[in-house]
Amino acid sequence: MYGTEVIDPDVPLNAAESADYDAALAGSAAAGERPAHASFDALIEADQRVEPRDDMPSAYRKTLIRQIAQHAHSEVIGMQPEGSWVTRAPSLRRKAILIAKVQDEAGHGLYLYSAAETLGIDRAELLDMLHDGRQKYSSIFNYPTLTWADCGAIGWLVDGAAIMNQVPLCRCSYGPYARAMIRVCKEESFHQRQGFEILWNLMRGTDAQRAMAQDAANRWWGPALMMFGPHDTGDAAQGGGHTEQSMAWGIKRFSNDDLRQRFVDMMVLQADRLGLTLPDPDLRWNEERGHWDFGAIDWDEFRRVLKGDGPCNAERISHRRRAHDEGAWVREAATAYAAKQAARATSATRSTDRLHAAEPAA
Ligand SMILES: [Fe+2]
Ligand SMILES: [Fe+2]
């Protein structure tokens, strides 16, 4: 894995490298054994996986389609902020790493669209909904990548927050989604390490490089905290969220606030190791809670960006639409090729059948 020469590979850097991931993995293997034709409620009750052909309430199906699609869209749109740095990466090594990372995100989109399709929706329809704004992607990708250090901050903070959200999804009640997450989290772990390593090197460079790294951390910290979603516990809880129902269905395992707190606790120590100052004057250790306290989040900004008024919303979606239109010939060629292969396979089966039919019975 990249970065191991400067970062201790034995120290967990993110949730995918912690015991949480191992537990999710073990839980996923155990969930494979289940009685056939068990009812939906019994499966959820027994913490077993729901599979595509099982009966499920239509609201459960709808919730999953919305969530998996939003996740898939985020992976694909998420290629853009760092993709713009592939041609400007400071060395060949950095370029190779960044290409691999951006390519991984495309792969995550593919696993997730495939997982969504098992719920009975077509990916072309999901892409239409992304392109015309009926479905969303994570607001974090509507912020610009102004300097090379932003690639470091995205890997460290954005991929780090994504992993914190996604490790519990490895135990999600819907089988195809849970299985996709197991692989995604492992790859995200590499992404976080490469981001950490970019910042690590910048922080050990010139004054200008250190300032660049600090500036990137300053800009990405707040939006990274927003990635966990609005408050859903205590007095600050905002009604209308999906947390309660999603938890009852075994889709969500922890509240937004719980995951955000775990992220802060993990990142404070890493920021210290990097030599970066997190841009929050209210950040302090709370002995009583055993957690780091942190300042208020700018939810007005969150809602503004969510509504489409972020620095890059229009640019991201128009780039996506253009890429989709320009890729039409690839989809047509792939469909024609698949049809040809299928026709060949059918005619091969027919001739084998004819051959068997001609053989004398034993
Ligand atoms: Fe990803
Ligand atoms: Fe990633």
Side-chain angles (χ1 to χ4, degrees):
M1 184 180 288
Y2 296 107
T4 46
E5 67 267 43
V6 292
I7 309 160
D8 187 345
D10 297 324
V11 175
L13 204 65
N14 55 65
E17 298 179 358
S18 68
D20 285 351
Y21 180 81
D22 297 336
L25 205 59
S28 177
E33 301 150 20
R34 50 170 229 154
H37 309 300
S39 79
F40 177 81
D41 290 340
L43 288 173
I44 298 294
E45 179 74 23
D47 207 12
Q48 297 278 348
R49 295 279 176 277
V50 177
E51 297 297 340
R53 288 183 184 169
D54 291 332
D55 276 337
M56 59 185 96
S58 68
Y60 175 83
R61 187 186 296 274
K62 258 170 116 177
T63 299
L64 275 169
I65 289 176
R66 182 186 48 78
Q67 179 170 336
I68 300 174
Q70 174 170 341
H71 193 164
H73 300 330
S74 303
E75 300 285 355
V76 170
I77 296 276
M79 295 162 71
Q80 292 186 35
E82 290 155 290
S84 73
W85 277 93
V86 168
T87 54
R88 297 177 286 167
S91 69
L92 186 58
R93 176 176 178 272
R94 289 290 176 205
K95 193 192 287 275
I97 296 171
L98 192 61
I99 288 173
K101 196 239 172 184
V102 171
Q103 209 164 254
D104 279 355
E105 307 300 7
H108 297 172
L110 287 178
Y111 308 154
L112 289 161
Y113 285 125
S114 300
E117 284 191 315
T118 64
L119 290 157
I121 187 145
D122 193 79
R123 94 175 52 184
E125 204 179 330
L126 295 175
L127 285 168
D128 283 347
M129 289 197 270
L130 168 67
H131 296 154
D132 66 19
R134 277 176 292 155
Q135 282 187 338
K136 302 252 177 260
Y137 56 89
S138 176
S139 284
I140 192 84
F141 301 118
N142 291 315
Y143 292 87
T145 35
L146 304 178
T147 69
W148 168 248
D150 287 40
C151 290
I154 290 178
W156 179 49
L157 294 171
V158 177
D159 289 279
I163 302 168
M164 192 57 86
N165 270 326
Q166 289 167 17
V167 163
L169 289 172
C170 299
R171 289 169 54 221
C172 157
S173 58
Y174 189 58
Y177 193 25
R179 289 188 287 274
M181 282 301 102
I182 286 171
R183 181 151 178 192
V184 167
C185 284
K186 261 292 173 242
E187 293 176 356
E188 298 294 4
S189 180
F190 147 67
H191 300 171
Q192 206 226 358
R193 278 189 175 262
Q194 66 88 37
F196 186 93
E197 198 219 6
I198 289 173
L199 295 175
W200 177 276
N201 285 338
L202 289 173
M203 290 306 286
R204 274 140 199 84
T206 63
D207 285 348
Q209 287 173 315
R210 268 191 293 281
M212 190 164 80
Q214 183 62 59
D215 173 63
N218 291 350
R219 285 180 288 108
W220 289 93
W221 176 248
L225 294 185
M226 295 175 198
M227 282 175 71
F228 295 91
H231 293 301
D232 56 357
T233 57
D235 296 342
Q238 294 157 19
H242 305 279
T243 299
E244 208 177 319
Q245 181 60 75
S246 288
M247 278 187 164
W249 278 332
I251 297 173
K252 200 171 164 64
R253 300 278 173 180
F254 302 99
S255 68
N256 298 345
D257 288 317
D258 190 6
L259 291 168
R260 185 166 20 241
Q261 181 68 63
R262 289 178 189 210
F263 176 71
V264 172
D265 290 348
M266 201 169 217
M267 291 298 126
V268 168
L269 303 177
Q270 290 178 24
D272 186 56
R273 185 112 197 268
L274 285 167
L276 285 166
T277 306
L278 292 174
D280 181 353
D282 297 324
L283 203 58
R284 59 182 58 87
W285 178 249
N286 184 324
E287 193 67 57
E288 208 176 303
R289 292 200 309 122
H291 291 291
W292 287 86
D293 287 340
F294 53 97
I297 293 167
D298 186 350
W299 294 114
D300 288 342
E301 177 182 321
F302 175 75
R303 279 187 285 272
R304 207 169 52 241
V305 178
L306 199 65
K307 275 196 190 130
D309 196 19
C312 301
N313 290 60
E315 184 186 327
R316 298 291 184 239
I317 214 70
S318 77
H319 184 87
R320 172 88 271 284
R321 282 200 202 114
R322 195 167 60 245
H324 187 72
D325 292 346
E326 287 172 0
W329 70 271
V330 179
R331 291 190 298 279
E332 281 160 23
T335 309
Y337 181 74
K340 208 156 102 183
Q341 292 295 98
R344 244 182 231 165
T346 316
S347 75
T349 316
R350 275 203 202 115
S351 40
T352 316
D353 288 350
R354 269 200 302 273
L355 209 65
H356 286 313
E359 281 170 8

